[in-house]
Amino acid sequence: EQKINKYLKDVCAAFRIKKKISFHSARHTFATLFLKKTKNLPALQKILGHSNIRETMIYVHVLNEDIENEMKKFEL
């Protein structure tokens, strides 16, 4: 994990990306994208290796566009 973080830091520097990126941030991104595409929270929990669904929810970031799309389902 440390080697990957060093590599990511070097890539960010090369492309002048100022945002801090780490291996751990990739887990958050994966969890968000996986849930967005599949809507399968129990599968995500297993993939991430969590025994408690609350742990999994820490990694899931709800996107504004998802909220808007879900709210449109209630329009008549």
Side-chain angles (χ1 to χ4, degrees), residues 1 22-34 44-50 55-56 58-61:
E1 190 173 323
S22 69
F23 177 78
H24 190 73
S25 65
R27 283 177 62 92
H28 286 268
T29 302
F30 171 79
T32 301
L33 294 175
F34 181 89
L44 179 60
Q45 178 184 1
K46 283 196 173 260
I47 291 168
L48 295 178
H50 296 150
E55 294 175 73
T56 307
I58 292 168
Y59 287 83
V60 177
H61 303 279

Side-chain angles (χ1 to χ4, degrees), residues 10-36:
D10 293 344
V11 170
C12 288
F15 288 96
R16 298 182 188 147
I17 298 170
K18 295 182 181 187
K19 185 173 182 173
K20 184 179 177 187
I21 297 175
S22 69
F23 177 78
H24 190 73
S25 65
R27 283 177 62 92
H28 286 268
T29 302
F30 171 79
T32 301
L33 294 175
F34 181 89
L35 193 59
K36 181 178 178 167

Side-chain angles (χ1 to χ4, degrees), residues 4 7 26 31 49 52 56 68:
I4 291 173
Y7 176 72
N52 188 320
T56 307
E68 292 171 15

